[in-house]
Amino acid sequence: SVTQVIDAQHLYGIQLMGPVPEDTSWQALEGGYDSTQFSVDWETQQVTCPHGKLSSSWSDDHTRAHRPVVKVIFRRTDCQTCDGLSQCARNREKRRTLTLLAPQSHYQLQQQLRQRQKSAPFKEACKARAGVEGKISQAAIAFNSRRSRYRSTTKTHLQHLATAAAMNLHRALDWLYKLPRSATPTSHFARLAPAL
């Protein structure tokens, strides 16, 4: 989340590498007017739609997870006469509402991170991350390293070193015997599909 990215930067001086959640509104998924196509003026607390209409309401709110957001509502009279209503609103009131992440710095960082994760360098960097996550999964599941067999940190550290050595040995043996890397497993549901 954006909060985790900011906290990691301020508290630990590190930049988190990973995708932030995309906009899952129907407008973003179906090619309508998503939130990126609206112009947000944080100083005057107004939003301008792609057709030039100004918002009528701006109010601070919270999500169910208690994250601060801003709720923006447009006038019904502006939206109902607009040519782009079918790409903008499907609600009963026939007017557009927006929920923006607050404060402004969080909203702007969210937009920057969403743009960054579409770039080729980001996707290339995430390939290495996927390999690391695979190794962590192997350590946790195949080598049962989530639980320590010992009580002290010294003995637990020794267990972690032994697990890492065992993983390296396992990889070396796979390489020597020319065993192919495992593919992404097919789900039980996907296996029911007829072969094409």
Side-chain angles (χ1 to χ4, degrees), residues 26-144:
W26 70 264
Q27 292 94 341
L29 298 175
E30 297 179 18
Y33 295 128
D34 63 2
S35 61
T36 61
Q37 296 172 333
F38 288 76
S39 176
V40 182
D41 188 344
W42 289 87
E43 290 180 13
T44 61
Q45 296 186 344
Q46 280 198 319
V47 178
T48 307
C49 82
H51 288 267
K53 305 295 183 185
L54 291 174
S55 61
S56 62
S57 171
W58 175 291
S59 59
D60 295 326
D61 203 353
H62 286 85
T63 63
R64 290 183 184 155
H66 303 291
R67 292 191 181 104
V69 293
V70 171
K71 297 268 184 175
V72 178
I73 301 174
F74 285 83
R75 288 181 186 84
R76 185 179 292 119
T77 54
D78 288 340
C79 292
Q80 286 179 347
T81 59
C82 181
D83 295 335
L85 178 63
S86 62
Q87 294 179 300
C88 201
R90 290 181 181 166
N91 53 21
R92 192 174 53 227
E93 292 86 17
K94 301 285 188 210
R95 67 175 172 181
R96 182 59 187 262
T97 60
L98 283 174
T99 303
L100 308 173
L101 189 63
Q104 179 182 358
S105 59
H106 285 54
Y107 173 78
Q108 290 173 337
L109 180 62
Q110 180 187 52
Q111 300 308 314
Q112 290 171 4
L113 293 174
R114 284 179 176 170
Q115 287 301 316
R116 181 188 75 164
Q117 67 197 30
K118 294 176 184 174
S119 67
F122 180 85
K123 292 176 181 175
E124 192 64 33
C126 279
K127 288 181 182 177
R129 180 175 182 249
V132 170
E133 286 180 356
K135 285 293 138 198
I136 292 171
S137 175
Q138 182 185 25
I141 297 168
F143 290 90
N144 199 21

